[in-house]
Amino acid sequence: MSPGEVVLPVHCVAAAGLVFDEEGRVLLIRHPRRGWTYPGGMVEQGETLLQAAVREIREESGVTAKIGELVAVASNVAKRPGYNGVKEIPTVVNFVFLARAVSGEPGPSEESRESGWFTLAQAEAMVTAPASVEVFRAYREYRGRPLYLVYRTWPAFELIEKRTL
């Protein structure tokens, strides 16, 4: 880096949804690397957080959702090894919203092996990735104000901070 050159930090921004149906069941997808989890993913260029959440939910599950309140902001501050041609995954800030299903039926996609509706108790027993477990805990603790989670997922999961915003 030459004198006066500024290097901006790299943070990926993601959006996700804890989607519930009319019966109060939550939508889960079975991700190839993280196992059962809630749908979500990276915000694309020119897209808003809410647009990204709706798109990711639909792409991963086939369900169209209406986005509601912000439940959690989750910061993964670990840089970690990449996959699918990506050398390294930078830090990620994930905005997790409550959402309501409005149409579509859960099914497999290019990004998930399967998806379906589950009771909250079933979902909590199925979700095993530590970061996803923490988001479900944040939902249980949600009282109208989002929780802020900071963690590392590499080389091992470590919860660094958890507090109400």
Side-chain angles (χ1 to χ4, degrees):
M1 183 164 63
S2 61
E5 184 179 0
V6 177
V7 176
L8 295 175
V10 175
H11 297 279
C12 291
V13 177
L18 294 176
V19 183
F20 290 87
D21 69 2
E22 291 178 356
E23 297 175 34
R25 299 175 300 175
V26 66
L27 178 66
L28 292 183
I29 64 159
R30 189 163 61 95
H31 189 274
R33 288 179 308 283
R34 293 187 303 271
W36 287 102
T37 189
Y38 51 89
M42 298 302 170
V43 177
E44 294 179 357
Q45 185 92 21
E47 198 173 43
T48 69
L49 290 172
L50 302 182
Q51 289 168 338
V54 168
R55 177 186 51 76
E56 285 289 344
I57 292 163
R58 189 176 50 249
E59 284 179 0
E60 294 182 350
S61 71
V63 172
T64 299
K66 181 175 182 178
I67 305 301
E69 307 93 79
L70 179 65
V71 173
V73 177
S75 290
N76 183 355
V77 297
K79 288 183 181 180
R80 54 203 190 280
Y83 51 89
N84 293 343
V86 176
K87 183 178 178 183
E88 182 179 70
I89 307 286
T91 58
V92 176
V93 178
N94 189 17
F95 294 83
V96 183
F97 297 92
L98 285 179
R100 180 178 51 84
V102 293
S103 66
E105 289 298 322
S109 73
E110 290 183 15
E111 299 179 38
S112 63
R113 295 180 177 162
E114 59 186 307
S115 63
W117 296 110
F118 302 92
T119 67
L120 193 54
Q122 288 171 323
E124 289 173 326
M126 295 166 68
V127 172
T128 57
S132 297
V133 169
E134 287 299 329
V135 167
F136 270 91
R137 285 185 184 140
Y139 168 72
R140 286 281 196 190
E141 296 172 22
Y142 179 70
R143 300 292 179 266
R145 292 180 56 198
L147 267 69
Y148 178 57
L149 307 168
V150 179
Y151 52 79
R152 283 186 188 89
T153 55
W154 183 262
F157 183 82
E158 174 190 5
L159 182 62
I160 299 166
E161 181 179 0
K162 181 178 181 177
R163 68 182 183 97
T164 302
L165 295 177

